[in-house]
Amino acid sequence: MIGQALRALVVEDEASTREELADMLAAFPEIHAVTEAEGGEDAMRLLGTETFDAVFLDISMPGLDGMAVARVLSMLSAPPSIVFVTASEHHAVEAFGIGATDYLLKPIRHERLAEAVSRAGAQRRPSAGPPPADELSVVQIESGRHTLFVHRDDIQFAEAHGDYVRLHTAEESHLIRLSLSYLEEVWAPAGFVRAHRGYLVAIRWVRDLRVTSSSGLLASTPAGDVPVSRRHARALKERLLAAVRDETR
């Protein structure tokens, strides 16, 4: 890894799981030191006196749960990378909405933990600028014995699904093992915008915005409707207006 090794904090109320995760992390050359916290309150006390580069965070804990801790972390001026480690996939959409780097399901697999450590390390490195617009311009998807190649320009929106993201085109959808936050970073120059904590939408494919009584604000694309949260509605509308202005010049 280029740059300083990571200082990691493991927040987990089950002692055996916490110790196992700490031992796994300590074995990675990217990790400089691992500190353990027995729960959310313990984590907040440590965060008040120490600085960490990455926090590996359980969700279901007595007292202050992992989501509450993550919300506090996300408000810091220089927040650590947040990696959720949980037994349930039900919180994935909310987790990536908070800005999680990764979302791991228990039992923890070494290769997935390695991916999470790598992503956390990449976030801590100095950046020379935004990722190039052609990164992942063609997505390679393994399907049984077949390899599919999906062009980014054909993808109308992306939806978070636990450890995966579902990519929607006009004809079909595909699952790929990436985080929505990573796609948001690398595809932003190509016109992909966060519409909701669990969705990215390609500006070029949005046909209109409409309000429904059951689902609230929706962005309509040929591939389907994308929910738009109040948090992201203003930025999405501004991008759509800018796109229209660019087309009329």
Side-chain angles (χ1 to χ4, degrees), residues 3-109:
Q4 187 178 5
L6 299 175
R7 294 156 295 178
L9 174 63
V10 175
V11 187
E12 166 66 62
D13 61 306
E14 289 232 3
S16 59
T17 304
R18 183 175 66 249
E19 292 166 5
E20 179 187 9
L21 178 55
D23 288 343
M24 291 175 71
L25 286 168
F28 288 102
E30 297 96 331
I31 301 294
H32 169 66
V34 181
T35 302
E36 299 178 33
E38 298 177 356
E41 289 84 355
D42 190 22
M44 296 310 298
R45 284 192 292 270
L46 287 167
L47 289 161
T49 58
E50 299 183 43
T51 301
F52 299 95
D53 301 301
V55 177
F56 294 80
L57 187 60
D58 188 19
I59 292 178
S60 298
M61 297 183 291
L64 197 65
D65 68 14
M67 284 298 175
V69 174
R71 291 189 189 97
V72 174
L73 292 175
S74 67
M75 292 187 288
L76 298 176
S77 57
S81 298
I82 300 171
V83 177
F84 285 101
V85 184
T86 178
S88 172
E89 64 181 24
H90 295 153
H91 299 282
V93 171
E94 183 179 1
F96 288 122
I98 292 173
T101 299
D102 213 334
Y103 190 95
L104 307 184
L105 294 176
K106 300 175 182 176
I108 306 161
R109 293 186 291 116

Side-chain angles (χ1 to χ4, degrees), residues 177-233:
R177 188 181 284 276
L178 287 173
S179 73
L180 197 69
S181 57
Y182 176 72
L183 281 184
E184 180 181 20
E185 179 184 4
V186 300
W187 282 358
F192 280 78
V193 177
R194 181 82 71 156
H196 185 277
R197 59 193 179 188
Y199 290 84
L200 292 180
V201 65
I203 289 295
R204 65 191 295 267
W205 285 109
V206 176
R207 297 296 178 257
D208 60 64
L209 297 177
R210 72 178 192 279
V211 178
T212 68
S213 58
S214 58
S215 302
L217 184 62
L218 296 173
S220 298
T221 76
D225 292 333
V226 178
V228 180
S229 67
R230 285 184 294 178
R231 175 183 176 185
H232 299 288

Side-chain angles (χ1 to χ4, degrees), residues 92-93 96 100-104 109 112 115-116 118-119 135-142 150 152 155 158-167 174-187 194 197-198 200:
V93 171
F96 288 122
T101 299
D102 213 334
Y103 190 95
L104 307 184
R109 293 186 291 116
R112 282 293 289 120
E115 289 179 20
S118 178
R119 287 175 182 167
E135 186 166 350
L136 282 182
S137 60
V138 176
V139 180
Q140 180 176 316
I141 299 172
E142 303 297 333
V150 180
R152 182 187 56 211
I155 297 167
E159 178 183 3
H161 271 266
D163 285 350
Y164 294 81
V165 170
R166 184 174 293 279
L167 306 176
H174 308 277
L175 277 176
I176 185 170
R177 188 181 284 276
L178 287 173
S179 73
L180 197 69
S181 57
Y182 176 72
L183 281 184
E184 180 181 20
E185 179 184 4
V186 300
W187 282 358
R194 181 82 71 156
R197 59 193 179 188
L200 292 180

